[in-house]
Amino acid sequence: MKTKFITTLFIIFSLTSFAQKKVNTDDQAIRKSMVYFANTIKYKKLDQTIDAIYPKFFTAVNKDQFTQMLNMTYNNPFVKIDVLDMKFISVGKPELIDGENFSITSYYLKLKADVSSMNEEMKKSISEMLAKKYGKNSVEYIAKDGAYVINAPMKMVAVSKDKKNWKVVFADAEYKKQLTKVLPKKILDKL
């Protein structure tokens, strides 16, 4: 009787450990893809940024226009934007839908926007735009640097067929209309 109890306990422990390892493996693979994506922006390797995006996204959003927007944002001589840090809030458990796995990921991206070359009117305009997009409490102006530090709350959806190679999709409100053509309704309803 004691042997059966110990054997059963061992089996339950083994199954639980395996299940947790599987979840952690998915979590790690998703985090790795997200960090890779953020680093492509940080180091301004925008071709790699585009490659890290879920290809179906470009059926709803023009790839060339999106690439130009990234270039104007991250290679702008008037507003130099640098990625300072990335902190995960949550990585959702992958959901299998129509042969693809989807995971909703939330994180903070800490950015520095150097506006020192702008006049006061333009700085004010940038300040208003940043506060509107990220929230007033997420934007701080550092006068001595002539830069804004933004703690941007972000959401992305990671997508993979094999749970090893993950691509990302922006889950910003500005892309909500286009995302209806890209993501399953079950995932959209959770955003």
Side-chain angles (χ1 to χ4, degrees), residues 17-167:
S17 295
F18 177 75
Q20 287 176 352
K21 185 177 181 191
K22 181 68 177 154
V23 169
N24 288 340
T25 301
D26 292 341
D27 185 275
Q28 289 172 348
I30 294 165
R31 286 175 189 260
K32 183 178 176 184
S33 294
M34 297 298 295
V35 168
Y36 171 80
F37 175 77
N39 280 335
T40 64
I41 293 172
K42 179 177 185 169
Y43 297 110
K44 303 194 182 355
K45 296 180 178 182
L46 301 180
D47 290 338
Q48 291 175 7
T49 302
I50 295 295
D51 290 342
I53 296 173
Y54 182 48
K56 195 172 179 182
F57 180 72
F58 296 117
T59 63
V61 174
N62 182 292
K63 188 175 185 177
D64 291 334
Q65 287 177 345
F66 189 80
T67 303
Q68 285 178 340
M69 187 270 308
L70 282 176
N71 273 313
M72 284 175 33
T73 302
Y74 294 101
N75 289 323
N76 187 328
F78 300 109
V79 182
K80 293 172 67 176
I81 297 179
D82 292 312
V83 175
L84 302 177
D85 194 15
M86 178 182 193
K87 287 192 176 117
F88 286 95
I89 300 166
S90 66
V91 176
K93 182 180 176 193
E95 292 185 54
L96 182 63
I97 302 170
D98 296 329
E100 291 184 302
N101 297 284
F102 297 85
S103 171
I104 299 171
T105 305
S106 298
Y107 61 96
Y108 281 102
L109 197 59
K110 190 172 188 178
L111 304 167
K112 182 178 182 182
D114 182 341
V115 294
S116 58
S117 65
M118 294 184 164
N119 66 34
E120 291 307 312
E121 187 178 320
M122 290 175 78
K123 287 179 186 177
K124 184 178 179 192
S125 177
I126 293 285
S127 175
E128 290 169 359
M129 188 255 328
L130 291 172
K132 183 177 178 185
K133 181 166 176 83
Y134 300 113
K136 193 173 184 176
N137 294 333
S138 297
V139 179
E140 178 186 359
Y141 183 68
I142 312 294
K144 70 178 176 87
D145 295 340
Y148 290 97
V149 175
I150 306 117
N151 226 355
M154 308 287 278
K155 259 191 188 175
M156 298 279 274
V157 177
V159 185
S160 176
K161 288 185 186 238
D162 60 9
K163 289 189 170 185
K164 293 177 185 157
N165 301 304
W166 293 87
K167 298 288 185 174

